[in-house]
Amino acid sequence: MNVRIEITYKTPKGVETTFSSGEMPDAKALFIAEDIEKTGRTKEINFVDVHENTWTMKELKKYMKGIETEPHNAIVYFDGGFDLQTKNSGLGCVIYYEQNQKLFRLRKNALVDNLNTNNEAEYAALHLGLKELELLGVHHLPVTIVGDSQVVINQLNGEWPCVEEELNKWSDRIEKKIEQLGITPEYKAVSRKKNREADQLATQALKEIEILSTIEIDK
């Protein structure tokens, strides 16, 4: 998960002030905080997550140790495409996650014929990604969800209303799956260029090229 560091610093003459960092991955934050602690001038070091929960160094270390052997720090990229001529939809998802101090990438796509619009395909692609998270065993952890569909991201964020009946049904499916997994989603909208991997998988699905792979990659 991402956290920011909050440090109370004390000078040799007893003057105190508080510093707060920007958000960063928990492992990086812990490394920096421990290095700063070596100066001997920190009165207090805490970590604050995206939900404004405060963690001590001991609590953060315990949390990180507890999830080390499980898939964590998951990022889900999704993309869906609808072909007007064939009425088929291509779904693609890419999941990056850490486990046992290693980084992995899972790629999955699917060809379906029961959707009617591109927006439905986008929702279905995210649902595919959540099902893959379930198979990985990701649960009760923060998960970053990334897509280039402004409709899906903003509707799930609650920033845009969802008035279409079919999209409402998909939104309910997504929220139900998220609740089942107990994960805390953070939604991020990106350009299509930055969602290239998921977009390619969706395109390959429309060409009936099936992809399912998991590999270890360099951090």
Side-chain angles (χ1 to χ4, degrees):
M1 65 177 172
N2 285 343
V3 297
R4 68 177 187 268
I5 311 169
E6 291 195 346
I7 297 172
T8 302
Y9 182 82
K10 187 175 182 180
T11 70
K13 292 186 178 181
V15 180
E16 293 183 9
T17 190
T18 300
F19 296 97
S20 182
S21 74
E23 286 187 5
M24 65 186 79
D26 48 17
K28 180 179 179 181
L30 187 60
F31 175 80
I32 292 172
E34 288 179 328
D35 193 62
I36 293 173
E37 190 178 40
K38 293 175 184 177
T39 65
R41 294 184 180 177
T42 55
K43 181 178 180 181
E44 185 177 15
I45 299 179
N46 288 310
F47 305 87
V48 183
D49 63 27
V50 294
H51 302 290
E52 296 300 314
N53 298 313
T54 300
W55 303 67
T56 64
M57 192 175 290
K58 182 178 180 181
E59 289 170 338
L60 187 60
K61 285 182 178 179
K62 183 178 179 181
Y63 165 81
M64 292 172 63
K65 186 67 177 176
I67 66 171
E68 186 176 356
T69 59
E70 301 178 7
H72 59 279
N73 289 344
I75 304 175
V76 180
Y77 292 82
F78 71 93
D79 194 56
F82 177 71
D83 189 318
L84 282 170
Q85 292 184 333
T86 65
K87 304 300 182 183
N88 287 332
S89 297
L91 317 179
C93 68
V94 182
I95 302 174
Y96 290 89
Y97 64 95
E98 295 179 39
Q99 188 173 15
N100 293 319
Q101 299 182 348
K102 297 178 181 179
L103 180 62
F104 296 90
R105 183 191 67 189
L106 181 152
R107 300 166 71 233
K108 166 76 174 178
N109 69 358
L111 178 67
V112 297
D113 60 4
N114 59 340
L115 307 176
N116 299 303
T117 67
N118 194 74
N119 286 332
E120 285 185 68
E122 293 279 8
Y123 267 109
L126 174 53
H127 194 259
L128 176 69
L130 293 176
K131 289 192 293 184
E132 290 302 312
L133 280 183
E134 186 174 27
L135 291 173
L136 281 173
V138 176
H139 59 89
H140 297 91
L141 290 171
V143 173
T144 302
I145 295 175
V146 184
D148 58 46
S149 170
Q150 294 285 338
V151 170
V152 172
I153 296 296
N154 288 321
Q155 285 182 347
L156 292 174
N157 262 335
E159 295 182 12
W160 288 7
C162 188
V163 295
E164 296 179 44
E165 184 178 352
E166 285 304 315
L167 298 190
N168 258 317
K169 290 179 181 178
W170 275 109
S171 178
D172 288 344
R173 289 190 191 105
I174 296 296
E175 291 176 357
K176 183 177 180 181
K177 180 59 68 176
I178 285 172
E179 185 178 351
Q180 287 176 346
L181 297 177
I183 61 176
T184 304
E186 179 186 358
Y187 298 103
K188 289 186 177 181
V190 297
S191 66
R192 190 170 184 177
K193 182 178 180 180
K194 293 184 177 180
N195 199 33
R196 189 176 298 163
E197 284 187 298
D199 175 69
Q200 182 180 19
L201 286 168
T203 300
Q204 288 173 313
L206 285 171
K207 295 177 180 178
E208 299 187 22
I209 302 172
E210 185 177 356
I211 305 292
L212 175 58
S213 69
T214 301
I215 62 170
E216 181 184 346
I217 59 177
D218 294 332
K219 286 191 176 183

